[in-house]
Amino acid sequence: MENEKRSGILRNFKSIYFYLVCFVTLMIIIYNTAQLVYDATEIIFPTTYTPAKIDMVRMYQGDEFIKKSVSLEEFIKMQQEQIQNDQKRQKIYAIKRTLKEVAFLLICIPLYLYHWRKIKDE
């Protein structure tokens, strides 16, 4: 009788463990899928930020803005360079995040499926 009680407790503990692992991995899968969609849209339709002149002055303090007055053409050129650099950096960052999300999914989906099959077999 005591052995039956212990095996019942172990079975309950095992079931709780499997359900808990399934729950956690499912939450990770849902979150990473949402992030993957967000990152993919960020790669396709990147968010662009156009720095204002005051922001450019703050970035280049001690350089051209302080030493001399920057012409409008030079300012526009600098602004475009800054925008292009920001877009490249954002795209690289979005690609890295996308790869991270894919890696999480490649790890969590099999883990979830394994534990879910174990639950169904019991």
Side-chain angles (χ1 to χ4, degrees):
M1 175 135 158
E2 194 171 308
N3 285 338
E4 289 177 17
K5 191 175 184 181
R6 283 185 187 167
S7 68
I9 291 172
L10 276 172
R11 203 174 306 123
N12 285 340
F13 179 74
K14 195 174 174 182
S15 292
I16 290 170
Y17 165 78
F18 282 121
Y19 278 110
L20 188 61
V21 170
C22 283
F23 175 75
V24 170
T25 54
L26 187 60
M27 292 299 107
I28 292 171
I29 290 168
I30 291 169
Y31 174 78
N32 285 316
T33 302
Q35 283 298 118
L36 185 64
V37 170
Y38 173 77
D39 292 338
T41 56
E42 193 64 30
I43 291 170
I44 297 168
F45 306 107
T47 305
T48 56
Y49 166 71
T50 305
K53 188 168 185 174
I54 188 70
D55 295 331
M56 296 289 289
V57 169
R58 287 181 184 139
M59 279 190 281
Y60 293 100
Q61 275 182 336
D63 291 334
E64 299 99 279
F65 285 98
I66 301 298
K67 295 176 186 170
K68 63 175 182 158
S69 173
V70 176
S71 69
L72 182 60
E73 293 82 21
E74 290 174 319
F75 171 74
I76 291 172
K77 182 182 173 193
M78 290 171 66
Q79 191 178 38
Q80 292 302 319
E81 287 174 2
Q82 184 66 35
I83 290 169
Q84 289 174 348
N85 289 338
D86 286 345
Q87 286 175 340
K88 285 179 190 175
R89 190 171 39 257
Q90 285 175 343
K91 189 171 186 174
I92 290 169
Y93 184 63
I95 290 170
K96 285 181 177 181
R97 283 192 325 245
T98 301
L99 293 174
K100 181 189 80 168
E101 303 303 331
V102 168
F104 268 107
L105 291 174
L106 289 175
I107 293 169
C108 287
I109 289 173
L111 189 63
Y112 170 79
L113 292 174
Y114 171 79
H115 284 80
W116 189 247
R117 285 186 189 127
K118 286 287 192 180
I119 290 170
K120 290 178 104 178
D121 289 344
E122 288 185 6

